[in-house]
Amino acid sequence: MQYALEIRDAVKRYERFTLDHVTLRVPRGTIMGLIGENGAGKTTLIRLLLGMARPDAGEFSLLDAQGEAALSAAKARVGVVLDEGFFPEHFTAAQVARCCRALYPGWDGEAFGRWLTRFSLPARQKLRALSRGMKTKLSLAVALSHGAELLVLDEATSGLDPVVRAEVLDIFQDYMQDERHAILFSTHITTDLARVADEITFLHRGQVVLQQSKDEILSRYGVLKCSREAFAALSREEVAGAREGAFGCEALVRDRASYLRRHPDAVIDPATLDDVMLFTIKGIQRRAAQ
C-alpha cells in the first residue's frame, strides 16, 4: 500500500501535555478524519507534520520522502488549511498569490483566480477585512492551486455556512477522484467526516484510542438504552463507555448487531461519531477513577 503520510511513534512533550507515541498512516486515495476533544493533540500532531514544531521522538514520511531535506521539498506538494490561518492580515489575495508563485514550483495562477471567483473572494481587499469563513476559503483556494497531492486540513469547514460547507465537501470528494491524492482532515464537525471520511483516528489526551474504518464504526457501534440492572450485566468487553441518567443508563456497545441477536427486544440506536467520542472518553474516565 502506498502512503501519502506516515507518522510513527511521534512524541512531543510540553509542560502540561504530551503527545504520546502516536502512529498514523494515511494511504493515497483516502480521507483520514482526525477527531478528539479540545486539547487532545490534533493540532500538535499537524504542527509536527508541517515542521511548525520539532518532535522529541518519532519518524515521519511525507509523499514517499524521508529525512529532513526530502521532507522539506515534499511540503511543496502539501496543501494546508489551518484554523487560525497563516497569511499576514495586511495582505490582499493578490499579494498572497504573488508570494505563493515564489513558494510553490507547481503554482497555477489561473486556477487560483478561478477559485477566487467561485468563492466570491475579492482580490484587492485586505485580509483583516474578511470574515473567518472568507479567510478559510482563501486558504482553501491556495491549497488547491499548486498541484498538492496531500491536503492537511485543521477545522477547514468551521466558520462556513451550511451551503458553503456542503460545497467544500463536494470539492474534497472531487479532489479525491485522483487516487494519488489524500486528505488528513481534523475537525470538530463530525457530521462532515461522516459524509466524506474513509478512516477515523481518535485522539484523547495525546494518545490514539481508536483507529478504524468510518463505515465499520458507524455500522458496528450502537447506543444501548437500558436499566441500571441490565447495564450491570454487560461485560466490560461489550461496552466502550456509558452514562447514567435519572431513569436508566446509556451505553456504547461495540457490536450492535451481535447484541441484538442475543437481546432482540433491546433498544439500541446506531452510534454517531460524536457518540463514539463522548462515551469512549467517559469509559476511560470511569476506568481511571476505579
Side-chain angles (χ1 to χ4, degrees), residues 212 216-226 230-231 234-243 249-263 266-272 275-276 279-280:
Q212 206 166 351
E216 187 173 357
I217 291 172
L218 296 181
S219 65
R220 288 180 64 88
Y221 283 76
V223 178
L224 171 68
K225 297 175 173 60
C226 63
F231 173 69
L234 293 170
S235 69
R236 187 168 180 172
E237 290 72 25
E238 286 182 294
V239 178
R243 62 183 176 190
C249 295
E250 290 182 323
L252 182 68
V253 176
R254 291 190 173 91
D255 191 334
R256 184 172 78 248
S258 174
Y259 189 86
L260 281 172
R261 283 194 296 270
R262 291 179 285 111
H263 306 279
V267 178
I268 183 167
D269 298 324
T272 65
D275 291 329
V276 172
F279 283 99
T280 300

Side-chain angles (χ1 to χ4, degrees), residues 29-50:
T30 297
I31 299 179
M32 172 66 76
L34 188 60
I35 63 174
E37 75 280 18
N38 288 335
K42 304 186 300 298
T43 298
T44 297
L45 187 65
I46 288 173
R47 288 175 62 83
L48 294 178
L49 167 65
L50 298 177

Side-chain angles (χ1 to χ4, degrees), residues 26-255:
V26 183
R28 291 180 184 266
T30 297
I31 299 179
M32 172 66 76
L34 188 60
I35 63 174
E37 75 280 18
N38 288 335
K42 304 186 300 298
T43 298
T44 297
L45 187 65
I46 288 173
R47 288 175 62 83
L48 294 178
L49 167 65
L50 298 177
M52 300 168 69
R54 294 188 66 85
D56 295 310
E59 298 178 356
F60 295 77
S61 175
L62 185 63
L63 299 173
D64 304 317
Q66 293 181 325
E68 197 164 326
L71 283 171
S72 179
K75 287 170 187 173
R77 294 181 285 141
V78 178
V80 181
V81 181
L82 299 181
D83 181 27
E84 67 269 20
F86 47 83
F87 301 119
E89 289 285 287
H90 63 277
F91 270 31
T92 65
Q95 289 173 308
V96 168
R98 285 197 291 272
C99 288
C100 291
R101 190 182 307 123
L103 287 171
Y104 296 113
W107 179 252
D108 186 338
E110 291 184 1
F112 182 68
R114 290 194 296 270
W115 285 115
L116 292 186
T117 300
R118 180 168 179 174
F119 289 145
S120 301
L121 292 170
R124 305 291 176 187
Q125 191 169 1
K126 292 189 183 297
L127 302 192
R128 67 169 65 96
L130 302 183
S131 68
R132 178 180 176 183
M134 293 175 75
K135 292 175 184 177
T136 298
K137 287 189 282 186
L138 176 62
S139 294
L140 184 58
V142 170
L144 293 168
S145 297
H146 60 86
E149 296 174 38
L150 170 67
L151 296 184
V152 177
L153 312 172
D154 188 6
E155 301 296 341
T157 54
S158 65
L160 303 179
D161 66 63
V163 174
V164 176
R165 267 180 50 217
E167 179 187 3
V168 168
L169 294 179
D170 287 340
I171 289 169
F172 294 159
Q173 290 179 312
D174 290 342
Y175 173 82
M176 292 303 298
Q177 294 302 309
D178 187 330
E179 293 186 356
R180 297 172 301 168
H181 291 167
I183 298 177
L184 177 63
F185 188 178
S186 172
T187 182
H188 287 102
I189 307 175
T190 56
T191 52
D192 287 352
L193 296 181
R195 176 175 167 183
V196 302
D198 300 295
E199 305 284 334
I200 298 293
T201 295
F202 173 18
L203 289 179
H204 174 62
R205 293 184 178 178
Q207 295 183 318
V208 174
V209 295
L210 178 67
Q211 281 185 329
Q212 206 166 351
S213 155
K214 177 207 69 182
D215 289 341
E216 187 173 357
I217 291 172
L218 296 181
S219 65
R220 288 180 64 88
Y221 283 76
V223 178
L224 171 68
K225 297 175 173 60
C226 63
S227 66
R228 289 182 176 82
E229 292 76 18
F231 173 69
L234 293 170
S235 69
R236 187 168 180 172
E237 290 72 25
E238 286 182 294
V239 178
R243 62 183 176 190
E244 296 186 33
F247 303 103
C249 295
E250 290 182 323
L252 182 68
V253 176
R254 291 190 173 91
D255 191 334

